[in-house]
Amino acid sequence: MRAARLIKMVLLLQSRPSMTAAELARDLEVSERTVARDVLSLSEAGVPVYADRGRAGGYRLIGGYRTRLTGLGRSEAEALFLSGVPSALREMGLADAASAARLKVSAALLPELRDAAAGAAQRFHLDAPAWYQEPETPALLPAIADAVWDDRLLTARYRRNNTEVERELEPYGLVLKAGVWYLAARATEAADTAGPAAATGGRRDAPFSGAVAGAGRRASHRVYRVDRFVAVDPAQDRFSRDGSFDLPAFWEERAEEFARSLLRDEVVVRLSARGVRQLPYVTDRAAAQEAVAKAGPPDDHGRITVTLAVESAEVAYAQLLALGPEGEVLAPAELRERFAAGARRTAALYGGGAP
């Protein structure tokens, strides 16, 4: 533990002209007294650490000193590619590896390039979680991430609808979407082992349930919500990855299939020009664009009639309310009557003028 801290101190000093005791203490997560003791230990070991006195003082390495402790380990190199997603690194337990990798890269750069990482970080940032949503880190995410990084087989219990299923998985990759973690994996068992009821899974995640297709030794890749894993047990055995598997392409295809699978009903809506512009912002964007593209010519009032794919009449009611008078539901009749009843109640609220 202390040896790793001393190495980190050397790398910190090598990557910057000088650092105060307070700065070193903050970055090393120790007290300033510990920093002073560590500096003394480095000096006794032959590392030329020099202390500058005064208000602008601090610690620095005597000019020209370079450590060769800059080789990246495998985990550090892999974590470095995720360094633009700090929250994801923390949740997967890789923050320390990424920090060490950045330090080693910084120490290896020419002095005039050492501020490049800080400059980029101030200009570009990936914020994966959704707005107005507090993301939760699944308790089993670090263990699953370890299996993904190390290509280790994973025995897992997973909540699906009202049951738990158990299977052996080949964990290929993790995806963070709008604050929710998903695992792309391939099952190696042909059958599920059902357990007692756990938590209900809802129809919304049906395509992501991870059900095994067919009776062969290996099924196709599936997607599992990480927060639905009940238990995971990484094995000592590793699996051979399919070299043709492309995680971004797989996710894009599966996410599109998932979104499409939700749209099982249809509603007919008459839209004003403003309603046409607003429709992609209140319902599924792809479905809205497709509906408008297939619509006929505008009527005498400039309105078009579209047939819109929706998840259900209930969801359509909640979504299309946002259009207000810019959208008129024509069918199904039950949904139109619900909008009419809601309009009458709204008119009654505002019919008497200001309170």
Side-chain angles (χ1 to χ4, degrees):
M1 186 73 173
R2 184 165 183 263
R5 188 175 72 241
L6 292 174
I7 292 172
K8 186 175 182 179
M9 178 181 287
V10 173
L11 291 173
L12 284 168
L13 293 173
Q14 186 172 313
S15 64
R16 307 178 194 180
S18 67
M19 295 184 69
T20 65
E23 290 171 335
L24 284 168
R26 182 192 64 235
D27 287 355
L28 297 172
E29 299 180 349
V30 295
S31 66
E32 293 186 31
R33 185 183 297 273
T34 299
V35 168
R37 287 199 298 265
D38 287 350
V39 167
L40 180 60
S41 297
L42 288 174
S43 296
E44 292 174 348
V47 179
V49 182
Y50 182 79
D52 292 316
R53 306 294 180 182
R55 291 183 57 187
Y59 296 102
R60 61 183 175 86
L61 292 173
I62 293 179
Y65 179 81
R66 306 287 294 176
T67 176
R68 296 186 179 183
L69 297 172
T70 53
L72 290 179
R74 179 179 178 85
S75 63
E76 294 168 343
E78 291 173 332
L80 189 59
F81 285 99
L82 289 172
S83 58
V85 198
S87 60
L89 284 168
R90 287 194 299 271
E91 292 179 11
M92 289 191 292
L94 296 172
D96 289 343
S99 176
R102 286 192 296 269
L103 267 178
K104 291 180 178 181
V105 170
S106 180
L109 291 174
L110 294 173
E112 60 268 24
L113 297 178
R114 288 175 186 162
D115 63 345
Q122 294 303 317
R123 290 168 174 79
F124 301 99
H125 175 65
L126 175 60
D127 184 13
W131 285 100
Y132 315 119
Q133 176 179 325
E134 187 66 27
E136 296 184 2
T137 303
L140 298 176
L141 178 61
I144 295 173
D146 283 344
V148 170
W149 285 118
D150 213 20
D151 294 341
R152 291 192 181 276
L153 291 169
L154 197 67
T155 301
R157 294 191 66 82
Y158 183 82
R159 294 195 303 268
R160 191 179 68 186
N161 298 327
N162 295 320
T163 63
E164 290 181 7
V165 296
E166 181 176 319
R167 62 170 59 92
E168 188 178 71
L169 298 174
E170 296 176 352
Y172 269 71
L174 285 162
V175 176
L176 177 60
K177 171 66 174 178
V180 180
W181 284 94
Y182 296 92
L183 172 68
R186 184 162 59 181
T188 61
E189 297 293 335
D192 296 340
T193 302
T200 59
R203 183 174 66 84
R204 177 174 293 274
D205 290 303
F208 286 70
S209 65
V212 178
R217 171 64 180 157
R218 282 179 169 179
S220 59
H221 294 89
R222 299 296 177 95
V223 179
Y224 304 80
R225 277 187 60 144
V226 173
D227 58 9
R228 292 192 176 180
F229 282 99
V230 177
V232 296
D233 183 19
Q236 293 300 316
D237 297 332
R238 290 182 170 87
F239 64 92
S240 298
R241 295 181 68 91
D242 180 355
S244 64
F245 180 77
D246 183 335
L247 180 60
F250 167 79
W251 175 258
E252 182 179 0
E253 178 183 356
R254 192 53 58 92
E256 184 176 345
E257 291 176 1
F258 171 57
R260 283 290 180 186
S261 72
L262 299 179
L263 308 179
R264 302 181 179 183
D265 292 332
E266 289 184 344
V267 298
V268 181
V269 188
R270 184 183 291 134
L271 300 168
S272 67
R274 178 176 292 181
V276 171
R277 294 192 297 270
Q278 292 178 346
L279 188 62
Y281 298 100
V282 302
T283 187
D284 181 82
R285 179 177 295 272
Q289 293 172 340
E290 182 177 335
V292 171
K294 293 181 177 180
D299 61 18
D300 294 340
H301 300 284
R303 293 179 171 245
I304 65 171
T305 300
V306 302
T307 300
L308 177 68
V310 296
E311 183 175 345
S312 65
E314 186 72 26
V315 172
Y317 180 76
Q319 293 175 336
L320 297 178
L321 270 178
L323 294 178
E326 308 305 328
E328 177 190 1
V329 173
L330 304 179
E334 297 82 0
L335 183 60
R336 177 179 173 83
E337 177 53 35
R338 185 173 180 183
F339 271 93
R344 289 192 292 269
R345 292 197 304 272
T346 302
L349 287 175
Y350 292 96

